[in-house]
Amino acid sequence: MRPPVWVLDTNVVVSAALTAGGPCDRLLRAAGEGRLHLAWSAPMLAEYRAVLLRPKFGFSRPLVSALLAAFDPAHQVAVGRARGLPDSDDEVFLAAALATEDRVLVTGNAIHFPVEICRPVRVLSPAEALRELNRR
């Protein structure tokens, strides 16, 4: 069975860095182990980097680079536009999920991704995503 290809919202990546052993960290570790592939686009990677390097987090550049190494160039997606989300900055994540076969978006802020707008993308919390991944 092939590993799933999912999209992570920025809050999941930040939570992974902040909370060792938590669901978000375990998802990134699963990606590092090849059990999960992380789809991404250039605007997403730029946002991850910008947010992780905010002074309030205190992450070093080497740590940020190590975290972003989980985003394999083989899983970069070319994305179109997804419109209609409450925060237009989130549309790149929905567009990336739409560009994948699995159409899964993992976020800690599901309210930002209303089901009626996001279909056919499934929006999962990190805990839900981890449970689904572990059932495979």
Side-chain angles (χ1 to χ4, degrees):
M1 179 185 320
R2 73 168 177 76
V5 180
W6 295 345
V7 171
L8 302 183
D9 192 3
T10 305
N11 60 69
V12 175
V13 178
V14 172
S15 291
L18 290 171
T19 310
C24 298
D25 177 52
R26 290 165 54 201
L27 287 170
L28 273 185
R29 289 179 188 279
E33 295 163 0
R35 295 188 308 124
L36 169 66
H37 296 305
L38 303 175
W40 58 277
S41 65
M44 289 170 51
L45 202 63
E47 179 173 324
Y48 295 151
R49 184 178 314 284
V51 171
L52 288 166
L53 288 172
R54 287 180 182 163
K56 71 178 182 178
F57 295 121
F59 299 137
S60 67
R61 288 191 181 275
L63 174 63
V64 170
S65 294
L67 283 168
L68 298 181
F71 295 87
D72 186 330
H75 299 289
Q76 182 176 6
V77 295
V79 296
R81 296 286 305 180
R83 298 190 188 276
L85 291 177
D87 181 349
S88 61
D89 289 344
D90 291 331
E91 291 171 353
V92 296
F93 300 96
L94 180 58
L98 284 165
T100 68
E101 183 179 333
D102 293 324
R103 294 186 170 161
V104 170
L105 172 63
V106 182
T107 182
N109 294 321
I111 196 160
H112 292 181
F113 296 93
V115 173
E116 62 277 3
I117 296 172
C118 294
R119 273 189 207 109
V121 169
R122 289 187 307 128
V123 178
L124 302 176
S125 72
E128 291 168 332
L130 194 57
R131 280 193 300 272
E132 185 169 317
L133 183 63
N134 288 334
R135 282 194 302 262
R136 292 176 152 260

